[in-house]
């Protein structure tokens, strides 16, 4: 079996699992476990279908890093429950989901799946670093299109896009991005800066929608080329676009490093190799299944890992 690394955008996955399964799925103590069950089932299915030999659960050590909010204060601001100037802002998370996050960590650890985060960085940055430095092909599992910027056909990096659900997975390659947007994956981050993303609190350039943003990047190569063309009345760019981009100069300078993922974190050594879960570890996983009433989800993930 050829080696392949799978990187999980873990929080995105357990949020979707929480909203996709009824919260009536509960442990004996009354704790809802729908997110735990849904995440385990998703991992089992992905391992079975895409056959990774290595797997990492990438984690948000800080879902709203200070260095990003220093550049764009509105970054993810609409999702803040409580700000903490000296620590990590508290995210608005459903009350029934919060208690499940420690259970998820406990079960992943028992399964031998490494959980990897980095101080003051998001899971996206961990994913970017591991994908960029991997010596084997990479599958990035996410519903976040910002990670399209990591797609690299030559390096074998693709996105397993779960935005439409586990039954409508889209495998995103450079060809898919070109068909959708008319630009290459390497241009995606600059395109996203221009377009903006309301889900992350990034306004984009006022009056520049997705089609116009893609056209500007296609015509001028990258964000620097677009900005240079906006300041040159001989560039062929329309007067309207030049005016919009000039008015957004401060935003463009700040937003570019916010949107571009970090690819050079020091994550140390990670043993991501998938192995069958045996002996005391298997007993521990099964005990957690009983404790938290995880039902057939435990059996399915163990079966998937046994096949590796």
């Amino acid at each position: 079996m050829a080696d392949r690394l799978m990187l999980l955008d873990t929080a995105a996955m357990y949020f979707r699992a929480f909203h996709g399964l009824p919260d009536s799925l509960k442990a004996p103590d009354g704790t809802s476990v729908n997110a735990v069950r849904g995440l385990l089932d998703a991992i089992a299915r992905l391992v079975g279908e895409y056959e990774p030999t290595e797997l990492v659960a990438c984690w948000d050590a800080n879902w709203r890093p200070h260095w990003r909010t220093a550049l764009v204060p509105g970054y993810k601001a609409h999702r803040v429950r409580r700000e903490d100037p000296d620590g990590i802002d508290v995210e608005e998370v459903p009350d029934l989901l919060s208690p499940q996050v420690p259970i998820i960590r406990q079960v992943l650890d028992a399964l031998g799946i490494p959980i990897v985060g980095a101080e003051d960085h998001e899971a996206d940055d961990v994913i970017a670093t591991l994908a960029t430095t991997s010596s084997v092909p990479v599958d990035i599992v996410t519903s976040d299109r910002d990670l399209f910027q990591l797609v690299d056909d030559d390096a074998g990096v693709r996105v397993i896009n779960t935005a439409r659900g586990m039954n409508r997975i889209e495998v995103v390659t450079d060809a898919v991005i070109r068909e959708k947007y008319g630009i290459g994956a390497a241009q995606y981050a600059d395109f996203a800066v221009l377009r903006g993303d309301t889900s992350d609190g990034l306004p984009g350039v006022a009056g520049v929608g997705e089609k116009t943003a893609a056209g500007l990047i296609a015509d001028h190569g990258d964000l620097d080329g677009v900005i240079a063309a906006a300041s040159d009345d001989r560039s062929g760019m329309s007067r309207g676009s030049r005016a919009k981009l000039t008015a957004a100069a401060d935003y463009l300078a700040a937003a570019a490093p916010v949107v571009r993922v970090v690819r050079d974190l020091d994550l140390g050594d990670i043993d991501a190799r998938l192995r069958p879960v045996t002996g005391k570890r298997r007993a521990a996983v099964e005990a957690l299944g009983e404790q938290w009433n995880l039902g057939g989800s435990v059996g399915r993930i163990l079966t998937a890992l046994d096949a590796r």
Side-chain angles (χ1 to χ4, degrees), residues 130-306:
L130 292 174
T132 300
T133 59
S134 178
S135 60
V136 301
V138 179
D139 284 338
I140 299 166
V141 181
T142 185
S143 55
D144 184 356
R145 59 184 177 171
D146 281 347
L147 290 175
F148 288 0
Q149 66 186 278
L150 294 172
V151 168
D152 184 338
D153 288 0
D154 291 338
V157 179
R158 58 188 187 178
V159 167
I160 308 301
N161 183 16
T162 61
R164 295 184 296 175
M166 289 298 295
N167 292 324
R168 299 179 64 193
I169 285 175
E170 177 186 40
V171 178
V172 179
T173 61
D174 197 75
V176 171
I177 293 171
R178 286 193 179 279
E179 183 177 352
K180 282 178 177 288
Y181 305 108
I183 57 171
Q187 299 169 299
Y188 188 87
D190 289 351
F191 155 73
V193 171
L194 292 170
R195 179 201 59 202
D197 189 340
T198 56
S199 67
D200 280 341
L202 295 167
V205 176
V208 173
E210 188 165 280
K211 185 175 180 180
T212 300
L216 288 169
I217 293 296
D219 288 343
H220 303 286
D222 57 19
L223 187 58
D224 288 343
V226 170
I227 292 171
S231 63
D232 182 357
D233 59 9
R234 297 167 300 175
S235 65
M237 183 182 293
S238 72
R239 182 179 299 178
S241 290
R242 288 174 54 218
K244 292 169 185 175
L245 290 162
T246 300
D250 290 343
Y251 160 77
L252 292 173
V258 172
V259 173
R260 294 169 185 156
V261 286
V262 177
R263 298 171 182 250
D264 59 356
L265 296 175
D266 183 1
L267 299 175
D269 294 330
I270 302 167
D271 183 3
R273 178 67 57 174
L274 285 178
R275 302 176 179 89
V277 182
T278 60
K280 292 181 179 179
R281 285 181 51 225
R282 193 178 192 93
V285 172
E286 291 172 342
L288 288 170
E290 289 292 326
Q291 178 183 353
W292 297 111
N293 188 31
L294 301 181
S297 298
V298 163
R300 286 186 283 274
I301 188 68
L302 288 173
T303 297
L305 296 180
D306 285 346

Side-chain angles (χ1 to χ4, degrees), residues 16-31:
R16 293 186 70 84
F18 174 80
H19 291 293
L21 291 174
D23 57 28
S24 56
L25 295 171
K26 296 183 182 296
D29 68 355
T31 301

